Amino acid sequence: MTNPQFTYYPGQVFFHGSTGRAMGTKFDALVRGLSESVSSRIWDEICALVRGDEAVFDRYSPESEVFAVNKALEAGTPVRLSEELEQALVQSGRYKELTGGLFDITRRDFSALKLEDHCLSCSDTGTELDFGGFAKGWTLGRIVGLLRREGVVSAFLDFGMSSIYAMGQHPAGAPWQVELRSPYDGTLLDVFCLQDGALSISGNSPSYSAHIVDPRSGEPVRSRRLCSVQCADPLDAEVLSTAAMVCGGKLEIDDTVIKSYEV
Amino acid sequence: MEDRREFLKQLGCVAGGAALLAGAPWLSSCTPERIREISGEKARIALIGTGSRGQYHIHNLLLIPHARIVALCDCYEPNLQAAAALCPGAKLYRDYRKLLEDKDIDGVIISTPLGSHAAITLDALSAGKHVFCEKAMARTLDECKAVYDAYRKSDKVLYFCMQRMFDEKYLRGMKLLHDGLIGEIVGMRCHWFRNADWRREVPSPELERQINWRLYKEHSGGLMTELACHQIEVCNLAVGRIPQSISGMGDIVYWKDGREVYDSVNVIYRYADGRKINYESLISNKFNGMEDQILGKKGTMELAKGVYYLEEDNSRSGIECLIDSMKEKVLTSVPLAGPSWRPEVKGQYIPHNIVEGKISVNGGQNMIGVDNDGSDVILSAFCSACITGEKAVNVVEEAYCATVLCLLGNKAMEEQRTILFPEYYKIPYMKF
């Protein structure tokens, strides 16, 4: 994480925290109803949480746990997982089942992984863990939990525009509203009303395309498409938006609004 | 073709369109009024040179209501037959001189190797044909002068395919530049990078120079005439001036395969007031793609991408808009959702679109041509002019200036010295 910023607005009783670069993007929090001192403390805790999750999930950082795990898997050596990574791995296995294989953190064959007695091993030495379509939703869920424990009832949390959670209402007394615009030409694609719910967007853009891989074929998804997922849980939204991109938006899950946009 | 139609419909019809037309008078042959005037009429068009670029033009011509392809000519039989398959009923010629004798042809489109542009253009004008020729204008400075002089004396229409002059994002960008959006223009940087050898498959060794003509000086000015020509023209339009001196270095760095033209060029064009075009082209690395970048005191415009950036940008990010709405307690939807934000490489610069709505961006990798880059619009304008006889304002002059500057770039590189623009090749259109 680089240069976290904190600004308190006493007149309107909310704070804005921004992480600078974090988890490959940036994180912004707008949290209402807390005193400045409590806001400051909570923002520090959020930053610590984000830093901690970066240290677990960032597969490009030689200091991260996933980097070390991938090295061990490459060498064919069983590796002990932290409690958080083990939970995330188990959870990601459930998502593979839920999506019928559209989401797979190995991007090829999750079933090659073997988790036994907190140790991970793999029958295929080419397998790597990639929590790219998972970690932001995971961290966002943990931040929502932290804020709820502190009694926060209104907040807007935004991980790089693609993973959003809105708690309660906007100060104007209505659900939070966000627009989705085409990254190619700025065309308005949709307006979402969010209240105690998550929104995740996956897709390709002119500056960042073919980054989602279809685990069934190993091929990158190149279509000029965005998929949005609106549901209660930020991790569900994060994972399902990636899965929706893989299947061209043709995904149906209970209590979840999934849309696809050709751009 | 939808984008082109929408763009053209706006010319003269809406406030912005009229202003655009005033700054780009060469568009007059493709205004809705002009197209209405020639409704039902068809220009009888012949193509001389039916290789890949000629066939690209055929695909565009088939969508132009006021054009009819009546004849095709190529000295290479496979290309002629490929084009014939696209244009059933068109007469076929192997010698362009025979084609020019055909009285049932109004205009010819020349898509042959650069070395033959001047001869065919001059013959076609002499034969009383309207002419549309691929850029660059000609292979040598003297040929350029001969074509320009012939055009001045001719009552025929002459176009060179300077398609950026007909590309909406360039036209609107140019209007914004001239309105001062990015302040005083202080410099220009243009580049065109590819990672390909520029070769085509040759079925028989004796056809090497005919098919791979771009690689040999007899036929080609290399990267300067094939690529830089478009970009130098854009820079000149942006500043309304012609560079006074030229220096540069050219080399064959990677493709040492018997070719004669450089595969790596760096050329600096200097205007009288000290502003410069820094031009670079390389065909053994494509990382930087293609761009025409205009640098202003207050901002930067990237015309190929259709975006601009401001040095001091007061526009608000989505999260800033949301903070404002929270302060005001006024609910507004904010543009916050999208595919994941990535850290910008260039600090805090925010890209702004020159044109709202969908645009076509040419990454510069296709050797033949791309959709909606202005090539279809300029062709439509030419076909319209074949019917009305309306000469193209400034198109020949711009093609002349850009081609001469590219040839002078080659000369500067070959002679390894700074060249001043020669008096002999100056024309009244040029302002230095």
Side-chain angles (χ1 to χ4, degrees):
Chain A
M1 186 195 298
T2 57
N3 303 321
Q5 308 279 328
F6 172 84
T7 308
Y8 188 73
Y9 295 87
Q12 296 81 17
V13 196
F14 73 92
F15 79 81
H16 172 217
S18 181
T19 59
R21 296 186 186 192
M23 300 185 82
T25 178
K26 62 178 181 176
F27 175 71
D28 286 283
L30 297 164
V31 180
R32 298 175 62 207
L34 302 173
S35 68
E36 184 166 5
S37 60
V38 173
S39 294
S40 176
R41 173 178 59 78
I42 288 180
W43 176 242
D44 287 345
E45 288 179 23
I46 289 173
C47 287
L49 191 154
V50 172
R51 279 195 197 94
D53 281 357
E54 273 190 303
V56 174
F57 293 113
D58 183 353
R59 74 187 176 110
Y60 296 109
S61 167
E63 282 80 43
S64 82
E65 184 178 0
V66 165
F67 187 92
V69 169
N70 282 338
K71 283 285 173 201
L73 294 180
E74 187 183 356
T77 314
V79 58
R80 188 174 181 83
L81 303 184
S82 68
E83 189 178 343
E84 182 174 0
L85 187 55
E86 184 176 348
Q87 285 176 6
L89 190 73
V90 171
Q91 186 82 317
S92 61
R94 293 195 192 113
Y95 282 121
K96 179 178 165 99
E97 297 302 316
L98 177 70
T99 61
L102 297 172
F103 179 82
D104 188 327
I105 53 146
T106 69
R107 312 215 290 191
R108 46 202 270 178
D109 184 12
F110 188 87
S111 63
L113 298 175
K114 188 177 172 192
L115 183 62
E116 197 171 62
D117 197 20
H118 312 297
C119 278
L120 183 68
S121 59
C122 185
S123 56
D124 176 0
T125 53
T127 299
E128 283 190 338
L129 305 186
D130 176 0
F131 285 90
F134 181 98
K136 292 200 299 285
W138 173 269
T139 304
L140 200 50
R142 292 195 344 119
I143 295 169
V144 170
L146 186 158
L147 293 179
R148 290 208 190 288
R149 286 194 297 278
E150 293 287 345
V152 172
V153 294
S154 175
F156 186 92
L157 309 172
D158 167 28
F159 243 124
M161 301 171 73
S162 66
S163 304
I164 292 170
Y165 188 86
M167 196 183 277
Q169 294 192 328
H170 184 278
W176 304 83
Q177 280 187 13
V178 294
E179 295 175 356
L180 172 62
R181 288 185 176 271
S182 165
Y184 291 90
D185 58 25
T187 308
L188 180 64
L189 300 173
D190 216 334
V191 178
F192 301 93
C193 291
L194 303 172
Q195 181 172 337
D196 295 316
L199 170 69
S200 177
I201 311 290
S202 282
N204 289 319
S205 68
S207 58
Y208 191 48
S209 63
H211 57 103
I212 296 168
V213 172
D214 184 341
R216 300 166 302 180
S217 63
E219 291 296 314
V221 178
R222 299 184 190 280
S223 56
R224 273 180 56 151
R225 179 191 304 281
L226 300 179
C227 288
S228 71
V229 173
Q230 209 176 341
C231 62
D233 182 79
L235 180 54
D236 285 354
E238 177 83 17
V239 167
L240 294 176
S241 66
T242 302
M245 271 300 288
V246 169
C247 65
K250 298 182 185 72
L251 183 65
E252 290 185 14
I253 304 283
D254 290 346
D255 302 321
T256 303
V257 180
I258 301 173
K259 294 184 186 174
S260 172
Y261 313 83
E262 303 274 354
V263 290
Chain B
M1 296 292 277
E2 268 317 302
D3 289 346
R4 177 178 68 79
R5 287 203 197 100
E6 284 307 311
F7 159 51
L8 294 177
K9 275 182 199 167
Q10 291 179 32
L11 289 175
C13 298
V14 296
L20 199 61
L21 193 55
W26 51 87
L27 296 174
S28 62
S29 280
C30 45
T31 58
E33 293 76 22
R34 189 70 80 249
I35 300 301
R36 267 197 300 277
E37 282 170 25
I38 60 169
S39 173
E41 296 186 66
K42 285 186 184 291
R44 297 169 300 177
I45 301 295
L47 288 102
I48 300 173
T50 58
S52 55
R53 185 67 181 177
Q55 290 173 44
Y56 167 84
H57 287 315
I58 288 173
H59 285 289
N60 282 332
L61 283 165
L62 292 173
L63 296 169
I64 295 173
H66 49 280
R68 184 157 61 93
I69 300 169
V70 296
L72 304 167
C73 175
D74 204 297
C75 56
Y76 184 56
E77 196 63 22
N79 284 350
L80 184 61
Q81 292 308 323
L86 299 171
C87 312
K91 288 186 199 171
L92 303 185
Y93 294 89
R94 276 85 183 167
D95 181 343
Y96 80 87
R97 292 175 192 83
K98 293 286 180 198
L99 179 145
L100 293 177
E101 291 170 7
D102 189 335
K103 301 296 179 201
D104 296 327
I105 293 170
D106 300 315
V108 296
I109 294 172
I110 302 167
S111 307
T112 59
L114 177 62
S116 61
H117 281 189
I120 301 175
T121 299
L122 292 170
D123 287 346
L125 289 174
S126 295
K129 307 299 183 196
H130 300 302
V131 177
F132 177 103
C133 183
E134 264 306 321
K135 68 89 193 83
M137 182 180 259
R139 176 64 192 91
T140 69
L141 293 167
D142 286 336
E143 284 177 348
C144 288
K145 190 77 166 53
V147 169
Y148 176 76
D149 290 343
Y151 167 69
R152 295 283 292 172
K153 291 176 193 157
S154 171
D155 61 350
K156 295 298 160 193
V157 169
L158 177 59
Y159 274 70
F160 287 91
C161 194
M162 307 303 290
Q163 66 258 27
R164 279 164 166 76
M165 294 175 76
F166 292 76
D167 184 327
E168 182 183 7
K169 60 182 179 293
Y170 279 88
L171 290 165
R172 293 197 187 279
M174 212 54 80
K175 173 84 172 58
L176 294 172
L177 288 173
H178 294 156
D179 288 347
L181 177 76
I182 63 166
E184 186 182 334
I185 295 172
V186 293
M188 284 150 284
R189 295 176 60 178
C190 298
H191 58 255
W192 202 321
F193 294 95
R194 287 173 173 167
N195 197 343
D197 62 4
W198 228 3
R199 282 192 169 278
R200 288 166 193 259
E201 200 174 324
V202 178
S204 177
E206 71 272 16
L207 294 171
E208 165 65 12
R209 283 178 177 256
Q210 187 180 346
I211 290 176
N212 285 315
W213 60 269
R214 286 182 180 81
L215 309 182
Y216 300 100
K217 288 184 178 178
E218 176 190 358
H219 305 291
S220 166
L223 298 172
M224 297 308 293
T225 51
E226 291 306 304
L227 302 181
C229 193
H230 291 299
Q231 301 174 282
I232 301 303
E233 182 259 326
V234 166
C235 294
N236 292 339
L237 274 182
V239 297
R241 291 282 184 277
I242 299 295
Q244 200 176 45
S245 65
I246 305 105
S247 55
M249 285 181 276
D251 298 277
I252 299 175
V253 171
Y254 184 83
W255 299 108
K256 296 173 182 176
D257 55 2
R259 71 185 57 204
E260 296 167 359
V261 300
Y262 302 133
D263 67 0
S264 164
V265 296
N266 292 64
V267 184
I268 295 174
Y269 291 90
R270 185 177 182 278
Y271 293 86
D273 59 10
R275 292 183 288 186
K276 298 169 196 72
I277 306 169
N278 211 320
Y279 187 80
E280 184 175 16
S281 184
L282 185 71
I283 52 170
S284 49
N285 178 296
K286 62 180 166 56
F287 181 80
N288 288 294
M290 181 267 286
E291 191 52 81
D292 306 329
Q293 202 176 58
I294 313 294
L295 313 177
K297 180 68 177 69
K298 295 180 182 172
T300 301
M301 189 171 283
E302 294 190 324
L303 284 151
K305 290 192 194 74
V307 297
Y308 64 87
Y309 307 83
L310 299 175
E311 295 281 304
E312 289 186 30
D313 198 333
N314 295 318
S315 62
R316 314 283 282 158
S317 70
I319 204 79
E320 287 169 330
C321 293
L322 187 52
I323 290 169
D324 289 346
S325 80
M326 291 174 72
K327 286 190 204 166
E328 302 294 326
K329 294 192 178 177
V330 175
L331 186 68
T332 51
S333 60
V334 292
L336 255 171
S340 205
W341 178 89
R342 312 294 301 170
E344 292 286 343
V345 177
K346 294 173 185 170
Q348 297 302 312
Y349 286 94
I350 300 169
H352 301 274
N353 294 327
I354 292 172
V355 182
E356 289 306 320
K358 288 190 176 175
I359 61 165
S360 175
V361 174
N362 177 9
Q365 303 307 308
N366 192 312
M367 274 178 68
I368 301 165
V370 296
D371 291 340
N372 295 316
D373 71 344
S375 297
D376 50 350
V377 182
I378 189 171
L379 202 54
S380 174
F382 169 69
C383 294
S384 163
C386 284
I387 297 167
T388 64
E390 181 182 16
K391 284 198 165 192
V393 179
N394 297 353
V395 171
V396 174
E397 288 80 358
E398 286 294 330
Y400 177 84
C401 295
T403 305
V404 166
L405 285 166
C406 288
L407 295 172
L408 291 174
N410 275 339
K411 190 173 167 65
M413 289 187 281
E414 284 161 8
E415 297 178 8
Q416 297 186 28
R417 65 183 180 93
T418 298
I419 289 179
L420 293 178
F421 200 106
E423 285 297 324
Y424 180 73
Y425 296 108
K426 289 182 180 175
I427 61 173
Y429 179 75
M430 295 174 175
K431 290 179 192 163
F432 287 89

